Amino acid sequence: VAAELPDPVPSGYVFCYRTSDNTLWWTENIGVWVRAHGFKIGWFGSDSKKITAFHADNSFAKVYQYNSYEPNTVLCNISNGASTTVHMRKGVYYIRAQGGGGSGGTFGDFFWVCGSGGGSGAGFEGYILVKRNIICNVSTGAAVSSGKLSVNGNSTQIENMFIFGGGEGGKTNEALAVGGELTVIANDDYEILTAKYLGNGNGTKVVDGNKRYGGDSVISKDGGGLPSANATAPGAGGGGFTGSGINGGAGGAGECLIQYIGYEPE
């Protein structure tokens, strides 16, 4: 495996996968590189009527592995407003992603009326099968902080696959905020194999009647901000304010991890 074909040309029968243009070459034992369209997988013996024996050549890896990434390669692990372009080759991928959490609510019509906690972002954790080589842009929601008013969380997106909506900012007068909405963009490029979580975010968390707790992350199941405190996990909502002149807590940032697992489902 090499970016370019080795020079001088090795002697004997040598195969090379050229990564610069995704092509196969071999020497044919003639001292020059010749374009190849397959690998030797073994040899067989026969008589005049049938194949009598087959011997696999175990010195070569499966051909499809040379058109893929090494298993468990991380293609993307970003958060808090970062973005990147991901080249997905055919195969199985693990994805963990969620939108940003909303900030906690601030005071309402009267100084003693508290704000509710912010909602958490929509999310997905699981495995997908990419059916053909594609290129997609990935962006993550930046964390939001609250000032005088609460702020909705920012969305995270995997182009042509998912939009993970940000959680709603906490409400004044302790009205409940809702979690971010998940949009699944169905197409022939991929399919969802299994999902540990696939859905909308959590709304305001109510603890013993107290509505000032931010919604927990749908991925880590925790991290919602305590009253007036910031979220402590990606995607979680900030805590609602607890008194006059005190802002609600900041929402957790959006995130996205994409990891290549293997060429085909087990």
Side-chain angles (χ1 to χ4, degrees):
V1 178
E4 300 298 337
L5 299 175
D7 185 19
V9 180
S11 60
Y13 293 95
V14 179
F15 282 88
C16 180
Y17 166 60
R18 186 164 69 182
T19 59
S20 62
D21 62 357
N22 193 37
T23 56
L24 296 171
W25 299 78
W26 72 312
T27 61
E28 290 189 335
N29 199 31
I30 58 175
V32 296
W33 287 111
V34 178
R35 179 71 185 273
H37 298 279
F39 275 118
K40 179 183 68 172
I41 62 171
W43 61 94
F44 66 89
S46 66
D47 57 25
S48 60
K49 297 181 180 179
K50 62 183 182 297
I51 294 174
T52 58
F54 177 79
H55 303 278
D57 185 346
N58 296 321
S59 63
F60 293 103
K62 293 180 180 179
V63 174
Y64 63 66
Q65 293 178 345
Y66 289 104
N67 192 38
S68 306
Y69 296 103
E70 288 293 324
N72 302 316
T73 297
V74 174
L75 305 184
C76 159
N77 189 9
I78 57 175
S79 63
N80 197 19
S83 61
T84 190
T85 299
V86 176
H87 294 249
M88 287 187 172
R89 299 172 184 171
K90 181 180 177 182
V92 177
Y93 292 81
Y94 167 78
I95 294 178
R96 186 191 72 230
Q98 55 189 326
S103 70
T106 55
F107 61 83
D109 299 329
F110 303 97
F111 288 122
W112 60 84
V113 178
C114 298
S116 63
S120 66
F124 172 70
E125 184 180 15
Y127 296 86
I128 69 169
L129 173 64
V130 174
K131 299 178 181 179
R132 57 181 62 88
N133 293 356
I134 58 175
I135 300 174
C136 62
N137 297 315
V138 178
S139 60
T140 56
V144 296
S145 58
S146 68
K148 182 177 180 180
L149 300 174
S150 60
V151 183
N152 294 338
N154 292 307
S155 66
T156 291
Q157 300 188 34
I158 303 176
E159 185 180 18
N160 295 325
M161 291 185 181
F162 303 102
I163 300 174
F164 305 98
E168 185 179 27
K171 304 282 192 173
T172 59
N173 301 325
E174 292 191 271
L176 300 178
V178 299
E181 181 178 353
L182 171 68
T183 301
V184 178
I185 304 171
N187 57 61
D188 292 334
D189 290 336
Y190 81 103
E191 67 177 270
I192 298 171
L193 296 177
T194 60
K196 183 177 179 181
Y197 184 83
L198 173 69
N200 297 333
N202 293 318
T204 299
K205 185 177 180 180
V206 182
V207 179
D208 295 330
N210 186 337
K211 303 174 183 178
R212 298 191 295 274
Y213 289 81
D216 286 335
S217 160
V218 295
I219 303 300
S220 64
K221 313 299 183 186
D222 60 11
L226 300 176
S228 290
N230 297 337
T232 58
F241 99 113
T242 56
S244 175
I246 301 175
N247 294 332
E255 64 169 349
C256 182
L257 168 69
I258 300 176
Q259 183 179 27
Y260 174 78
I261 301 301
Y263 185 78
E264 57 193 4
E266 295 182 354

